[in-house]
Amino acid sequence: MQANVDSYEQSAALLKGLMAKLMSSYNEVRSQAETELNNEWRDVQPQTLLSSLAFVVHRDYQAQARAFAAVLLRRISFQDVRTGDNKEDERSVWSVVPPAVHQTVKSVLLGALKDETERGVSHKLCDTIAEIANNEVDDEWPELLPALYTCAQDGNALLRESAYRVFSSCPYLLADQNADAVTGAFNGAFQDSDAAVRLAALQAAVAYILAAPEKKRSALAPMMAPMLGVLEPLLHNGDESGLTDALAALIEPAEEAPKLFRAVLGSLVTFATAIGKKDKLEATTRQTAMELLVTLAEAAPGMCRKHGQFCSEIVPVCLQMMSSVEDEEEWYNVETLDEADNDESHVFGEQTLDRLANALGGKQLLPVAFNYIPQMMASSEWQQRHAALMAISSIGEGCYKIMRNELGKILQMVVPFLADPHARVRYAACNCIGQMSTDFAPKLQADHHELVLTSLIPVMDQTSVPRVQTHAAAAMVNFAEEATKQVLEPYLDTMFERLLSMLNGSRRYVQEQAITTIATIADNAQAKFNKYYGTIMPMLLNVLAQATDREHRLLRGKAMECATFIALAVGRDVFAPDIPRVIELLTQTQQAVTEADDPQASYLQASWARLCRLMGADFAPLLPVVMPPLLTAAKQQPDFAVLEADEDAEANYAAEDGWEFANIGGQQIGIRTTLLEEKCEAVELISTYARDLGAGFVNYAGETLETLVPLFRFYFHEGVRAAAAAAVPHVLASVRAAGDEAAARQAWGQICDRYTSVLGSEEDDTFTLQLFSSFAEALTAVGANSMTEAQLEALAAACITQMTKYHQRMHERAAARAAEELDEDDEEQLAEEELLEGLAVDEVAKALHAAFATHGTAFAPAFRGVLPVAHKYLQEQDPAARQWAICVFDDLVEFTGPASATYAGEFLQPIAQALRDATSADLRQAAAYGVGVMAQYGGDAYSDFVARVALPVLVETIQDGEARSEDNVFATENAISAIAKILRFQGARVPDAAAVLRVWFAALPITHDADEAAAVYEYLVQVLNEQPDALVAAGDSAALQHLVKAVVAGLAAFELAPELTQALVDVMQKTLQALDDSGRAALWSGIPPAHQQALQAKGLL
């Protein structure tokens, strides 16, 4: 094998010359070298290339060459090359070369690892070894683990470090080893005499913990104390870089396995907060220490709450960081407002305090924070006052429940600082008011508008400090978004006067904010804004027409936004004269947007969408203008970048351009998130056009569906998937609305298959419920008999898969609770899972309902497979599980009628029990609804059950003293509706039906459940027409008054069908006409004023 390696010495020499060109500072030289490397080496002689690179790694005398060869070997080995005519024939270079080359390269790399003396080269060599090991199939490198064990015990510290560096990237190598031996080796390495070995061991131990199955992680907890022992010497010896890396390594296990830190939490909090307090340390070091603690708080809030000093130790550090803000001259003189630099300590402190408050809640954090905030507000140092106000801004959301009760007192503390002598403090006060306006809406606006607005509006006059003036206007946006028209109306004139003054100012960012605030106020004021329209709209149109240079792009975008918000506020009639000009200006702007980073693009698309809402079908001719860029944005693929760990990502992939990087397997993996946001926004806007234009969208339906449906599997961005799922039903509905049923069905054929395929395999519960909801809407839009037998079977299979998964999880949670090993955090997590799964289960039921509604008995054969799963749910103690099973059976009865009786045996007794269930009103509601469905659709097969078993229980339900309580009212109204259906469709089987009818009548009205109101009031009209004396006997004034009240309550509460509404109005009028004036007046005086006003508003009186 030695001769085999040496045979590559000549080719390695040639390759080294090419490597020199690849490292050239000239782009053209590098580009030519890359072409040569690919065309003349990788594609033609890959085994020579890999073996030669391995030779350089091991034998070259230059450290730079060895390091670069290691990097190239890793990169090239796993590049894809085409081995045939089709793209599907692509394989990695490593898989193309013969096994003998694999063995040679791996042997050489292990030799190089043993002989390497330079740390930088060794690190890159370890990364290459790990990459090859991770890509080997069936553990085809048996020599690796023994070699690493030898290195880990070697007297050479660099070899010991190298072993743990490889383990950190390949923790699976240790998975099958004796756990005690592994932890023993790690514990020894944590105390190694060399700091680099200790750090590498810590990073490897983290990887080992994260790779371990969750159920086995708890056994690794004893390793945490010696692992944290690595930190103190790094701090003591001034190794900030190593300390930061060690702290950063602990963040992921803090997020994924926080319970492992339970025993060491006290010492960790003390150590990390001590670092956070040391101003002499680098900001990155201090922030990483605090990030570790706040990650633990978010991952295990219960554990951190139980640590008595957690908040009291961390909050002061946050406040200290927040007080480090400096009074730079640049802050006052900026020409553009950029986002705050998140790396600055004072910004990091604000964010950390915000996250802590949200994680731990006000009960823990608020008392600690307010031990410091009042004295900071009274400080003579402006930085302290600034920090106190920003602290109140930061904690409001997390401490909402407690702070809302003291809102007036807190505002009394904050508002005076709007007049503070220092501009930065006034700025912080504006920030505080704005954030509180969001966090405590609408209570703040309703109860404290006078205090806030009379103090905030004057700040918008502070032209001497434009940033403060602008921030006051920004705070006004937060306030106005949640305020009622009645609250804002008295202040409109004075606000508008100041905003116009700002709009005429010289600073562009002041003008931009003024326009944004005007847009928000217009959106709030609606028609009340008409009086200002003639003043503001010409100014906005002038901005769009005249401010065409590059510097004013954002200003133009905000002007578009404002103009279209105002258009919606004042309505089409007022806006009509300006519609052609606005369309012209927007079209011109769209044609001028050619750069990817032009801020006008997003404002344009949103402005077009608002015009569509305003213009309705008249907007359709503009779709050729607005749709092409939207479809282009919706189709764009994400940008990725893969960099070495030591490469400067910011140099070519700036954060301001939307790039975000994560360290994975010794490399930096980057994705451009701004592109994903643009894609998501485009899909959402397409959905808006399809929904608002209906048939007018049909010309774009085909291309849109081809674009959207594949996005069901776009795993890079949850928002894109959700937006695509929401959009597809609207697009299909537009095709149906255009009258092209054949086209809708043709499109649906393939889309349906994609739905069922994704639904059957989806693991994300949030998207599962979104996609089931989308499927139900889409199927309803396409209509009857639109699925084949195979597609119905696929839908049922997908439902079975998901419901079986949820049933298994239900039992796993029950077992965990029974074991009594759960703490507060575990219980919170289980509750979140239950809530999400409950929502998903509801959407599965809706999808099944849609299939029955559109296919009737044709769905029954496929549905039979769902019944065994429903039976399992029916046997659970969890009321929500039984409720789902009953709802599924209800659909079977409703859409298959008497034929459903074949499957009824296992459902009837549980439904009868559910009618009496005292633990769940929702379960009683589902059972009552089901009885009504059986009465209406089930025929004779269900007669005895509904009339003799269920009816007595329903009568008891509606007569219960708590029947109308908030918790019970929906169950009660479903029981009233079920009785109406029994009497209407199974009345002949009801003993003493007249008595039941009187009890039913006494239980009216229906005022909450819109779904059941029609059935109840239709039956009421039927009884009054067919049996006029059955409910209201002659001279029975009490019954007469009850009838009128019941009818009025129903008409006031619901928008019923026109025919039913008219029938009820006729009943009321006929009843009132039978009385004299005094009787009518007395009867009408008993009607609640709110009901009278509702009838008058509907024009029913």
Side-chain angles (χ1 to χ4, degrees):
M1 185 173 292
Q2 187 65 44
N4 188 26
V5 176
D6 290 340
S7 67
Y8 291 105
E9 183 173 1
Q10 185 175 359
S11 58
L14 294 173
L15 185 60
K16 191 176 174 186
L18 182 59
M19 288 166 56
K21 296 178 182 178
L22 288 168
M23 291 187 285
S24 171
S25 59
Y26 295 100
N27 291 336
E28 185 176 349
V29 173
R30 284 201 314 275
S31 179
Q32 292 175 351
E34 288 171 1
T35 301
E36 181 181 346
L37 179 68
N38 292 336
N39 295 346
E40 299 182 21
W41 289 84
R42 185 195 66 185
D43 297 346
V44 177
Q45 46 182 342
Q47 60 258 45
T48 302
L49 173 60
L50 299 190
S51 299
S52 300
L53 286 171
F55 181 91
V56 175
V57 169
H58 192 186
R59 298 295 184 84
D60 200 274
Y61 67 94
Q62 290 183 319
Q64 184 184 27
R66 297 197 304 275
F68 190 41
V71 171
L72 282 178
L73 179 57
R74 184 178 66 175
R75 284 183 179 174
I76 293 170
S77 292
F78 302 103
Q79 286 179 354
D80 287 335
V81 291
R82 187 167 291 184
T83 58
D85 296 332
N86 301 318
K87 185 172 178 61
E88 290 75 18
D89 296 328
E90 286 186 352
R91 296 167 60 193
S92 71
V93 174
W94 185 259
S95 66
V96 169
V97 300
V101 175
H102 293 179
Q103 191 60 35
T104 297
V105 170
K106 290 187 290 188
S107 177
V108 172
L109 291 179
L110 290 181
L113 182 67
K114 181 181 177 182
D115 296 338
E116 186 55 61
T117 58
E118 294 285 340
R119 173 166 273 113
V121 179
S122 177
H123 286 180
K124 289 181 169 54
L125 178 55
C126 289
D127 294 342
T128 301
I129 290 172
E131 186 82 3
I132 292 174
N134 285 329
N135 282 277
E136 282 291 69
V137 180
D138 299 328
D139 192 23
E140 293 182 359
W141 199 347
E143 303 87 358
L144 178 59
L145 186 57
L148 294 176
Y149 273 154
T150 300
C151 289
Q153 300 170 48
D154 197 277
N156 183 342
L158 183 57
L159 283 178
R160 298 198 301 276
E161 179 193 358
S162 298
Y164 287 106
R165 188 174 179 89
V166 175
F167 283 137
S168 69
S169 296
C170 306
Y172 70 90
L173 291 171
L174 301 172
D176 295 330
Q177 306 304 307
N178 180 275
D180 291 338
V182 172
T183 54
F186 274 127
N187 288 339
F190 296 148
Q191 302 175 54
D192 194 281
S193 60
D194 188 275
V197 176
R198 296 195 298 270
L199 177 58
L202 182 147
Q203 292 168 328
V206 165
Y208 178 65
I209 288 170
L210 294 173
E214 277 192 49
K215 294 181 180 178
K216 294 185 179 181
R217 282 180 183 169
S218 59
L220 302 177
M223 196 163 62
M224 296 304 297
M227 188 187 303
L228 295 185
V230 173
L231 302 176
E232 178 61 41
L234 292 170
L235 177 63
H236 179 75
N237 295 327
D239 184 0
E240 275 202 63
S241 175
L243 177 59
T244 304
D245 288 345
L247 290 166
L250 292 168
I251 289 174
E252 189 172 359
E255 183 176 10
E256 298 295 328
K259 302 300 172 56
L260 293 181
F261 290 80
R262 189 191 305 276
V264 297
L265 185 60
S267 58
L268 178 60
V269 170
T270 300
F271 179 79
T273 52
I275 293 174
K277 293 174 184 176
K278 292 182 182 296
D279 291 332
K280 293 182 179 180
L281 294 177
E282 293 287 339
T284 303
T285 306
R286 299 170 64 207
Q287 291 173 18
T288 305
M290 298 302 290
E291 178 65 29
L292 174 58
L293 295 181
V294 78
T295 299
L296 279 169
E298 290 172 329
M303 180 180 77
C304 294
R305 289 189 197 106
K306 290 178 181 177
H307 179 276
Q309 303 303 311
F310 195 87
C311 278
S312 61
E313 292 197 41
I314 297 176
V315 169
V317 182
C318 295
L319 295 173
Q320 177 186 335
M321 288 182 164
M322 293 165 67
S323 300
S324 66
V325 60
E326 297 178 4
D327 199 15
E328 302 139 328
E329 190 65 28
E330 179 187 355
W331 187 89
Y332 297 90
N333 298 322
V334 294
E335 291 298 328
T336 58
L337 296 183
D338 297 321
E339 292 294 323
D341 188 346
N342 292 343
D343 293 335
E344 293 187 31
S345 287
H346 69 94
V347 177
F348 178 83
E350 294 165 15
Q351 295 172 341
T352 301
L353 197 58
D354 173 45
R355 292 166 62 191
L356 279 173
N358 280 300
L360 302 180
K363 188 175 180 181
Q364 285 274 325
L365 187 136
L366 196 65
V368 177
F370 269 86
N371 274 341
Y372 298 92
I373 286 174
Q375 65 193 50
M376 293 173 70
M377 295 179 97
S379 172
S380 60
E381 297 181 12
W382 73 265
Q383 293 94 338
Q384 292 277 308
R385 303 196 301 275
H386 181 279
L389 291 164
M390 298 304 288
I392 295 174
S393 303
S394 300
I395 65 178
E397 181 183 4
C399 301
Y400 170 81
K401 291 181 180 178
I402 299 178
M403 287 179 66
R404 72 186 303 272
N405 297 323
E406 304 294 332
L407 187 56
K409 294 179 182 178
I410 295 171
L411 285 170
Q412 291 285 356
M413 293 172 63
V414 170
V415 164
F417 289 95
L418 290 168
D420 191 273
H422 201 285
R424 299 292 293 269
V425 178
R426 297 198 298 276
Y427 180 94
C430 292
N431 190 85
C432 190
I433 292 296
Q435 189 60 53
M436 291 179 71
S437 294
T438 297
D439 292 340
F440 298 98
K443 180 178 175 61
L444 183 146
Q445 286 83 345
D447 296 348
H448 306 287
H449 56 85
E450 183 176 1
L451 171 65
V452 171
L453 293 182
T454 55
S455 302
L456 183 62
I457 291 173
V459 186
M460 293 163 60
D461 273 336
Q462 293 185 12
T463 56
S464 61
V465 190
R467 288 199 69 170
V468 175
Q469 179 187 30
T470 301
H471 215 47
M476 191 64 69
V477 169
N478 295 49
F479 185 95
E481 283 178 335
E482 301 294 341
T484 63
K485 297 179 183 63
Q486 292 74 20
V487 163
L488 276 192
E489 186 177 354
Y491 304 94
L492 286 178
D493 286 342
T494 184
M495 283 193 291
F496 191 63
E497 177 185 342
R498 284 161 172 78
L499 290 168
L500 278 182
S501 176
M502 291 174 66
L503 191 54
N504 289 315
S506 59
R507 300 259 182 160
R508 190 165 62 250
Y509 68 77
V510 177
Q511 297 171 330
E512 291 166 356
Q513 183 59 60
I515 289 175
T516 297
T517 307
I518 289 170
T520 304
I521 291 172
D523 188 44
N524 176 290
Q526 296 293 300
K528 297 291 184 183
F529 202 82
N530 287 9
K531 63 184 288 189
Y532 311 108
Y533 181 86
T535 303
I536 188 63
M537 187 58 72
M539 298 176 69
L540 296 173
L541 296 182
N542 185 59
V543 169
L544 291 173
Q546 302 298 325
T548 56
D549 57 315
R550 181 182 179 86
E551 288 74 19
H552 288 89
R553 295 187 304 182
L554 181 58
L555 182 67
R556 287 170 51 80
K558 289 182 177 289
M560 300 171 210
E561 177 184 62
C562 188
T564 49
F565 266 120
I566 290 174
L568 286 174
V570 300
R572 184 167 182 175
D573 289 343
V574 175
F575 184 60
D578 291 312
I579 288 178
R581 181 60 173 154
V582 170
I583 290 174
E584 177 187 3
L585 290 168
L586 294 186
T587 303
Q588 290 173 359
T589 303
Q590 182 149 312
Q591 293 168 348
V593 172
T594 57
E595 298 178 14
D597 63 345
D598 192 331
Q600 294 177 102
S602 61
Y603 285 102
L604 258 173
Q605 298 301 345
S607 296
W608 283 125
R610 283 188 285 274
L611 279 183
C612 179
R613 280 175 56 194
L614 184 76
M615 297 172 63
D618 292 339
F619 186 84
L622 292 169
L623 284 179
V625 176
V626 302
M627 281 301 294
L630 279 182
L631 287 168
T632 299
K635 292 175 183 178
Q636 59 189 348
Q637 295 301 311
D639 288 341
F640 291 102
V642 181
L643 307 179
E644 295 304 312
D646 56 358
E647 285 189 71
D648 183 6
E650 189 66 23
N652 296 309
Y653 305 94
E656 55 262 32
D657 293 332
W659 284 95
E660 292 185 8
F661 281 83
N663 290 312
I664 301 173
Q667 294 178 305
Q668 298 181 79
I669 309 299
I671 187 169
R672 191 177 172 207
T673 56
T674 50
L675 185 148
L676 298 178
E677 295 299 332
E678 291 167 8
K679 186 182 185 81
C680 183
E681 183 180 348
V683 175
E684 290 172 344
L685 288 172
I686 288 171
S687 178
T688 297
Y689 288 128
R691 182 196 65 211
D692 291 348
L693 292 176
F697 189 79
V698 68
N699 291 339
Y700 288 90
E703 184 179 1
T704 297
L705 289 171
E706 290 176 2
T707 303
L708 295 181
V709 175
L711 298 181
F712 290 172
R713 294 191 187 275
F714 189 80
Y715 298 109
F716 304 109
H717 193 280
E718 295 176 2
V720 171
R721 300 179 78 198
V728 168
H730 296 312
V731 180
L732 288 169
S734 76
V735 180
R736 279 299 299 265
D740 196 344
E741 183 175 341
R745 288 176 176 272
Q746 183 178 359
W748 171 245
Q750 294 182 340
I751 294 171
C752 179
D753 291 337
R754 184 65 66 94
Y755 267 114
T756 55
S757 173
V758 177
L759 286 171
S761 58
E762 183 58 46
E763 293 296 328
D764 183 329
D765 293 334
T766 300
F767 186 65
T768 297
L769 72 89
Q770 291 166 339
L771 198 60
F772 269 113
S773 175
S774 171
F775 174 87
E777 291 180 30
L779 178 56
T780 302
V782 177
N785 303 316
S786 53
M787 294 173 66
T788 65
E789 182 179 341
Q791 289 172 331
L792 292 170
E793 291 283 355
L795 170 63
C799 294
I800 292 167
T801 297
Q802 295 295 345
M803 295 309 300
T804 300
K805 177 178 71 177
Y806 295 143
H807 186 262
Q808 181 179 347
R809 288 186 191 170
M810 191 188 312
H811 280 263
E812 289 172 355
R813 286 193 292 268
R817 285 172 171 139
E820 297 183 349
E821 296 177 352
L822 303 180
D823 61 15
E824 180 182 347
D825 296 325
D826 296 325
E827 195 56 58
E828 285 182 9
Q829 182 178 348
L830 292 187
E832 290 175 4
E833 290 176 3
E834 285 177 327
L835 176 62
L836 187 58
E837 288 176 17
L839 295 173
V841 164
D842 288 343
E843 297 304 330
V844 172
K846 291 177 184 176
L848 293 170
H849 178 89
F852 266 127
T854 52
H855 292 78
T857 57
F859 183 49
F863 180 79
R864 289 193 192 104
V866 179
L867 287 172
V869 181
H871 293 156
K872 291 181 181 178
Y873 275 76
L874 203 60
Q875 296 162 15
E876 295 298 327
Q877 293 297 314
D878 183 358
R882 285 180 281 154
Q883 179 185 345
W884 180 82
I886 290 171
C887 289
V888 166
F889 178 70
D890 293 347
D891 284 338
L892 179 69
V893 176
E894 180 175 352
F895 295 105
T896 65
S900 64
T902 304
Y903 312 102
E906 296 188 51
F907 285 91
L908 296 184
Q909 185 58 34
I911 289 175
Q913 293 171 348
L915 289 171
R916 293 185 180 276
D917 192 291
T919 64
S920 172
D922 290 340
L923 179 61
R924 296 197 303 277
Q925 178 183 344
Y929 173 80
V931 171
V933 168
M934 291 180 226
Q936 184 172 356
Y937 299 103
D940 293 342
Y942 294 94
S943 296
D944 284 344
F945 177 77
V946 299
R948 300 184 181 277
V949 177
L951 181 59
V953 184
L954 295 171
V955 170
E956 290 179 22
T957 298
I958 66 174
Q959 291 181 307
D960 187 274
E962 294 296 316
R964 288 285 173 178
S965 71
E966 183 177 350
D967 291 337
N968 294 330
V969 65
F970 279 93
T972 298
E973 293 194 347
N974 273 262
I976 293 170
S977 177
I979 294 172
K981 293 171 183 175
I982 293 170
L983 292 171
R984 183 175 181 181
F985 299 103
Q986 304 281 355
R989 303 293 184 93
V990 176
D992 199 1
V996 174
L997 180 63
R998 288 191 294 274
V999 171
W1000 171 83
F1001 176 59
L1004 295 178
I1006 296 286
T1007 56
H1008 287 72
D1009 196 326
D1011 293 333
E1012 299 306 310
V1016 170
Y1017 284 108
E1018 283 173 2
Y1019 181 61
L1020 176 63
V1021 171
Q1022 178 183 329
V1023 173
L1024 290 171
N1025 288 333
E1026 296 176 358
Q1027 309 171 58
D1029 296 330
L1031 300 178
V1032 183
D1036 189 346
S1037 60
L1040 191 67
Q1041 187 171 33
H1042 179 68
L1043 173 62
V1044 173
K1045 284 185 176 181
V1047 170
V1048 169
L1051 289 171
F1054 307 112
E1055 292 292 338
L1056 301 171
E1059 299 83 2
L1060 179 56
T1061 297
Q1062 188 58 52
L1064 289 171
V1065 170
D1066 291 344
V1067 166
M1068 185 172 60
Q1069 291 177 341
K1070 183 179 179 181
T1071 304
L1072 293 173
Q1073 287 170 0
L1075 301 173
D1076 57 24
D1077 290 344
S1078 61
R1080 280 196 294 272
L1083 185 58
W1084 195 245
S1085 66
I1087 303 298
H1091 290 175
Q1092 296 182 34
Q1093 293 167 8
L1095 263 62
Q1096 289 170 343
K1098 294 179 179 182
L1100 300 179
L1101 292 180

Short mmCIF file of all heavy atoms in Angstrom, two decimals, residues 694-711:
data_model
loop_
_atom_site.label_atom_id
_atom_site.label_comp_id
_atom_site.label_asym_id
_atom_site.label_seq_id
_atom_site.Cartn_x
_atom_site.Cartn_y
_atom_site.Cartn_z
N GLY A 694 -62.32 35.72 -7.36
CA GLY A 694 -63.16 34.60 -7.77
C GLY A 694 -62.94 34.24 -9.22
O GLY A 694 -61.83 33.95 -9.65
N ALA A 695 -64.01 34.27 -10.00
CA ALA A 695 -63.93 33.87 -11.41
C ALA A 695 -62.94 34.73 -12.18
O ALA A 695 -62.36 34.28 -13.18
CB ALA A 695 -65.31 33.97 -12.05
N GLY A 696 -62.70 35.96 -11.74
CA GLY A 696 -61.77 36.83 -12.44
C GLY A 696 -60.33 36.36 -12.38
O GLY A 696 -59.48 36.86 -13.11
N PHE A 697 -60.05 35.39 -11.52
CA PHE A 697 -58.68 34.89 -11.37
C PHE A 697 -58.41 33.68 -12.26
O PHE A 697 -57.28 33.22 -12.35
CB PHE A 697 -58.45 34.51 -9.90
CG PHE A 697 -57.01 34.17 -9.57
CD1 PHE A 697 -56.07 35.17 -9.36
CD2 PHE A 697 -56.61 32.84 -9.47
CE1 PHE A 697 -54.75 34.85 -9.06
CE2 PHE A 697 -55.30 32.52 -9.16
CZ PHE A 697 -54.36 33.53 -8.96
N VAL A 698 -59.41 33.19 -12.95
CA VAL A 698 -59.32 31.87 -13.57
C VAL A 698 -58.18 31.74 -14.58
O VAL A 698 -57.59 30.66 -14.73
CB VAL A 698 -60.67 31.50 -14.23
CG1 VAL A 698 -60.94 32.39 -15.45
CG2 VAL A 698 -60.71 30.03 -14.59
N ASN A 699 -57.82 32.81 -15.27
CA ASN A 699 -56.77 32.71 -16.28
C ASN A 699 -55.41 32.37 -15.68
O ASN A 699 -54.51 31.92 -16.40
CB ASN A 699 -56.66 34.02 -17.07
CG ASN A 699 -57.87 34.24 -17.96
OD1 ASN A 699 -58.59 33.30 -18.31
ND2 ASN A 699 -58.12 35.48 -18.32
N TYR A 700 -55.25 32.60 -14.41
CA TYR A 700 -53.97 32.31 -13.75
C TYR A 700 -54.05 31.06 -12.86
O TYR A 700 -53.08 30.71 -12.19
CB TYR A 700 -53.52 33.51 -12.93
CG TYR A 700 -53.07 34.65 -13.80
CD1 TYR A 700 -53.97 35.62 -14.22
CD2 TYR A 700 -51.75 34.74 -14.25
CE1 TYR A 700 -53.57 36.66 -15.05
CE2 TYR A 700 -51.34 35.77 -15.08
CZ TYR A 700 -52.26 36.73 -15.48
OH TYR A 700 -51.86 37.74 -16.31
N ALA A 701 -55.19 30.42 -12.86
CA ALA A 701 -55.38 29.30 -11.94
C ALA A 701 -54.44 28.14 -12.25
O ALA A 701 -53.85 27.55 -11.34
CB ALA A 701 -56.83 28.83 -11.99
N GLY A 702 -54.28 27.81 -13.53
CA GLY A 702 -53.47 26.66 -13.89
C GLY A 702 -52.02 26.81 -13.45
O GLY A 702 -51.46 25.94 -12.76
N GLU A 703 -51.40 27.91 -13.85
CA GLU A 703 -50.00 28.13 -13.48
C GLU A 703 -49.85 28.26 -11.97
O GLU A 703 -48.86 27.79 -11.39
CB GLU A 703 -49.46 29.38 -14.17
CG GLU A 703 -47.99 29.63 -13.93
CD GLU A 703 -47.46 30.86 -14.65
OE1 GLU A 703 -48.25 31.54 -15.34
OE2 GLU A 703 -46.26 31.15 -14.51
N THR A 704 -50.83 28.88 -11.34
CA THR A 704 -50.76 29.06 -9.89
C THR A 704 -50.79 27.72 -9.17
O THR A 704 -50.00 27.46 -8.25
CB THR A 704 -51.92 29.94 -9.41
OG1 THR A 704 -51.80 31.23 -10.00
CG2 THR A 704 -51.92 30.07 -7.90
N LEU A 705 -51.68 26.83 -9.59
CA LEU A 705 -51.76 25.52 -8.95
C LEU A 705 -50.48 24.71 -9.17
O LEU A 705 -50.01 24.03 -8.27
CB LEU A 705 -52.98 24.75 -9.47
CG LEU A 705 -54.34 25.30 -9.01
CD1 LEU A 705 -55.46 24.61 -9.75
CD2 LEU A 705 -54.50 25.15 -7.50
N GLU A 706 -49.92 24.81 -10.36
CA GLU A 706 -48.66 24.11 -10.64
C GLU A 706 -47.55 24.61 -9.73
O GLU A 706 -46.63 23.87 -9.37
CB GLU A 706 -48.26 24.30 -12.10
CG GLU A 706 -49.15 23.57 -13.09
CD GLU A 706 -48.77 23.87 -14.53
OE1 GLU A 706 -47.79 24.63 -14.74
OE2 GLU A 706 -49.45 23.38 -15.45
N THR A 707 -47.63 25.88 -9.36
CA THR A 707 -46.62 26.47 -8.48
C THR A 707 -46.87 26.12 -7.02
O THR A 707 -45.93 25.83 -6.27
CB THR A 707 -46.62 28.01 -8.64
OG1 THR A 707 -46.40 28.33 -10.02
CG2 THR A 707 -45.55 28.65 -7.78
N LEU A 708 -48.13 26.15 -6.60
CA LEU A 708 -48.45 26.03 -5.17
C LEU A 708 -48.38 24.61 -4.64
O LEU A 708 -47.87 24.37 -3.54
CB LEU A 708 -49.85 26.60 -4.91
CG LEU A 708 -50.06 28.09 -5.15
CD1 LEU A 708 -51.49 28.46 -4.80
CD2 LEU A 708 -49.09 28.91 -4.32
N VAL A 709 -48.92 23.66 -5.38
CA VAL A 709 -49.09 22.32 -4.82
C VAL A 709 -47.75 21.68 -4.43
O VAL A 709 -47.66 21.06 -3.36
CB VAL A 709 -49.87 21.43 -5.81
CG1 VAL A 709 -49.94 20.00 -5.29
CG2 VAL A 709 -51.28 21.98 -5.98
N PRO A 710 -46.67 21.81 -5.23
CA PRO A 710 -45.39 21.25 -4.78
C PRO A 710 -44.88 21.86 -3.48
O PRO A 710 -44.05 21.26 -2.80
CB PRO A 710 -44.44 21.57 -5.95
CG PRO A 710 -45.34 21.69 -7.15
CD PRO A 710 -46.59 22.32 -6.62
N LEU A 711 -45.38 23.03 -3.14
CA LEU A 711 -44.91 23.70 -1.92
C LEU A 711 -45.44 23.03 -0.66
O LEU A 711 -45.01 23.38 0.45
CB LEU A 711 -45.31 25.18 -1.94
CG LEU A 711 -44.73 26.01 -3.08
CD1 LEU A 711 -45.18 27.46 -2.98
CD2 LEU A 711 -43.20 25.94 -3.10
#
